[in-house]
């Protein structure tokens, strides 16, 4: 008997598409399954102004395969010097959907990020007033804070004080990786939601280090202990409207990953929907897959769900997907969940 599930077409509320050759290669992988995606602005140089966002949007649209209905939802990269007038105009024009806060030094291409939240309070106040959502990479950066504690410390020392100071600001705590993150979001009754990646539902920190170092499982925030992964699974599969998919699919070429100083990022666009169907089925929650991938995100961002659908079929033979995709910059390894996948998008 074939098992089939049809859901509202999903959206990806956190995606890295890069630019140039990499954009050309990875965009079809997302556009094949997803209706829309929040596009991360951490290019080199970053997408800082409305003009930058418009130009990047046009490059993405030009790189789309023919007949693809995919819609990029643009973001601005918040810096200590962001102009609130430019930001507000971009939001009013519908050019941007959100603004991204990277603490300076937290992750890939975050050098131009915010050095102290105090520096951007006037911009955040403006965003709260106009209803523009803030996507946050929630990790502190101090060398004295252990990399596995950076998310929890950020919640206590930056996120919670910010929410108390500016409760009207609509926040997305991105790619949460800890039970602390889950619990904090669940304690909030308004203006806070979280995205969860596919890979953080599947790997814990052992996957990175046990049996030899596995650079393709290295991302930021880094995967944590098993009990954190289980908390993420519970949140994602619960149907709770405050949690939704943001894959954080972040391509780097294999030479840049498999290096003495490997880049952070997991590329999962190719097989994310197969992985998620597997995860939700394992947890007896296939009926909540649509809420996580297709309904909760639009509801939080205040937009309608996609009008078309996506169908997955379960087969006894494993799904055949490439272990890496070719780009003109070199190969990019696709996320390996560590087991065969059986749900295929049709
Ligand atoms: O692992 C990551 N990769 N985390 C981020 O926050 C950025 C991303 C990237 O751009 O490669
Ligand atoms: Zn990211």
């Amino acid at each position: 008997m074939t098992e089939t599930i049809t859901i509202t077409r999903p959206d990806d509320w956190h995606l890295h598409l890069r630019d140039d050759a990499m954009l050309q290669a990875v965009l079809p992988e997302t556009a094949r399954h997803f209706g829309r995606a929040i596009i991360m602005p951490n290019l080199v140089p970053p997408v800082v102004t409305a003009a930058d966002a418009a130009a990047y949007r046009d490059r993405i649209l030009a790189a789309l395969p023919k007949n693809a209905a995919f819609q990029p939802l643009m973001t601005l990269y918040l810096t200590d010097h962001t102009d609130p007038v430019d930001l507000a105009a971009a939001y009013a024009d519908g050019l941007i959907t959100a603004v991204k806060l990277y603490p300076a030094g937290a992750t890939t291409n975050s050098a131009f990020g915010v050095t102290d939240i105090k520096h951007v309070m006037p911009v955040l106040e403006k965003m709260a007033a106009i209803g523009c959502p803030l996507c946050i990479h929630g990790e502190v950066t101090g060398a004295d804070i252990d990399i596995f504690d950076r998310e929890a410390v950020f919640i206590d020392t930056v996120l919670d004080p910010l929410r108390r100071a500016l409760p009207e600001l609509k926040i997305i705590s991105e790619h949460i990786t800890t039970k602390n993150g889950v619990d904090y979001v669940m304690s909030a009754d308004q203006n806070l939601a979280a995205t969860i990646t596919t890979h953080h539902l599947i790997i814990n920190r052992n996957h990175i280090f046990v049996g030899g170092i596995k650079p393709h499982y290295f991302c930021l925030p880094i995967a944590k202990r098993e009990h954190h992964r289980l908390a993420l699974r519970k949140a994602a599969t619960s149907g709770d409207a405050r949690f939704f998919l943001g894959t954080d699919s972040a391509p780097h070429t294999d030479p840049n990953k498999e290096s003495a100083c490997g880049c952070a990022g997991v590329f999962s666009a190719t097989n994310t929907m197969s992985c998620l169907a597997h995860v939700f089925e394992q947890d007896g929650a296939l009926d909540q897959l649509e809420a996580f991938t297709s309904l909760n995100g639009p509801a939080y961002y205040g937009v309608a769900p996609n009008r078309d659908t996506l169908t997955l079929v379960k087969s006894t033979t494993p799904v055949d997907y490439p272990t890496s995709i070719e780009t003109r910059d070199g190969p990019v390894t696709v996320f390996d969940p560590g087991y065969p996948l059986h749900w295929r998008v049709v």
Side-chain angles (χ1 to χ4, degrees), residues 21 28 49 56 89 103 115 146 154 161 174 205 210 213 230 235 239 283-284 291 299 303 307 321 329 337 343 345:
T49 65
Y56 187 32
T115 57
D146 189 279
F154 184 90
E174 298 207 283
R205 65 191 200 175
V210 174
I213 196 154
L230 293 176
D283 289 6
V303 296
R307 276 202 289 265
Y321 62 86
D329 293 337
W343 287 94
V345 177

Side-chain angles (χ1 to χ4, degrees), residues 19-34:
D19 220 338
D20 304 316
M22 188 63 91
L23 169 64
Q24 293 285 339
V26 300
L27 179 58
E29 301 300 295
T30 287
R32 196 174 293 138
H33 298 161
F34 291 87

Side-chain angles (χ1 to χ4, degrees), residues 8-26:
T8 301
R9 184 172 295 284
D11 300 305
D12 185 348
W13 297 96
H14 181 130
L15 176 68
H16 297 268
L17 287 177
R18 316 298 190 204
D19 220 338
D20 304 316
M22 188 63 91
L23 169 64
Q24 293 285 339
V26 300

Side-chain angles (χ1 to χ4, degrees), residues 3-343:
E3 286 175 76
T4 300
I5 171 171
T6 296
I7 59 173
T8 301
R9 184 172 295 284
D11 300 305
D12 185 348
W13 297 96
H14 181 130
L15 176 68
H16 297 268
L17 287 177
R18 316 298 190 204
D19 220 338
D20 304 316
M22 188 63 91
L23 169 64
Q24 293 285 339
V26 300
L27 179 58
E29 301 300 295
T30 287
R32 196 174 293 138
H33 298 161
F34 291 87
R36 298 166 287 197
I38 287 274
I39 309 301
M40 285 299 118
N42 62 334
L43 304 182
V44 189
V47 179
V48 172
T49 65
D52 296 340
Y56 187 32
R57 179 201 55 198
D58 291 348
R59 295 198 296 281
I60 295 168
L61 293 176
L64 267 179
K66 287 220 164 22
N67 302 324
F70 176 78
Q71 191 191 351
L73 304 174
M74 307 309 293
T75 60
L76 292 185
Y77 182 118
L78 189 62
T79 75
D80 287 352
H81 311 289
T82 292
D83 174 4
V85 176
D86 181 66
L87 182 158
Y91 188 68
D93 288 349
L95 172 61
I96 61 163
T97 300
V99 170
K100 174 69 186 256
L101 188 164
Y102 287 106
T107 186
T108 310
N109 303 335
S110 62
F112 298 95
V114 173
T115 57
D116 188 323
I117 196 94
K118 287 192 205 83
H119 297 156
V120 292
M121 280 313 282
V123 179
L124 299 182
E125 281 159 17
K126 181 74 187 173
M127 287 172 58
I130 63 176
C132 178
L134 178 70
C135 299
I136 300 184
H137 182 113
E139 288 192 287
V140 293
T141 56
D144 52 329
I145 308 294
D146 189 279
I147 189 169
F148 292 98
D149 297 334
R150 289 179 173 193
E151 180 172 304
V153 173
F154 184 90
I155 293 168
D156 293 342
T157 62
V158 184
L159 182 56
D160 190 58
L162 170 62
R163 291 190 58 249
R164 286 175 196 278
L166 210 48
E168 320 83 60
L169 181 63
K170 188 168 193 143
I171 293 174
I172 301 95
S173 193
E174 298 207 283
H175 43 52
I176 58 168
T177 59
T178 57
K179 181 169 188 307
N180 312 60
V182 170
D183 291 345
Y184 187 67
V185 170
M186 288 185 38
S187 74
D189 55 6
Q190 59 160 358
N191 289 337
L192 183 64
T195 58
I196 302 178
T197 77
T198 306
H199 50 283
H200 287 112
L201 295 174
I202 294 175
I203 63 166
N204 63 31
R205 65 191 200 175
N206 280 4
H207 288 77
I208 312 168
F209 301 114
V210 174
I213 196 154
K214 312 287 186 345
H216 295 289
Y217 290 139
F218 173 57
C219 64
L220 290 170
I222 196 162
K224 308 295 193 299
R225 287 176 181 273
E226 177 66 358
H227 80 91
H228 293 295
R229 185 186 74 93
L230 293 176
L232 298 171
R233 290 273 285 233
K234 203 167 163 201
T237 58
S238 68
D240 188 319
R242 292 168 289 192
F243 300 100
F244 43 89
L245 176 64
T247 65
D248 199 10
S249 181
H252 295 276
T253 61
D254 288 351
N256 285 335
K257 293 281 298 172
E258 299 164 7
S259 125
C261 184
C263 296
V266 168
F267 177 68
S268 64
T270 304
N271 60 359
T272 269
M273 289 310 298
S274 295
C275 288
L276 290 173
H278 186 105
V279 161
F280 277 66
E281 183 184 39
Q282 257 184 349
D283 289 6
L286 262 184
D287 59 335
Q288 299 297 346
L289 179 65
E290 182 181 46
F292 182 68
T293 63
S294 318
L295 304 179
N296 295 348
Y300 189 71
Y301 273 93
V303 296
N306 292 311
R307 276 202 289 265
D308 56 341
T309 60
L310 185 87
T311 296
L312 295 118
V313 172
K314 189 179 180 188
S315 54
T316 44
T317 48
V319 177
D320 208 13
Y321 62 86
T323 53
S324 70
I325 64 160
E326 290 307 319
T327 82
R328 277 189 281 120
D329 293 337
V332 173
T333 290
V334 174
F335 173 60
D336 174 8
Y339 41 69
L341 299 169
H342 290 271
W343 287 94

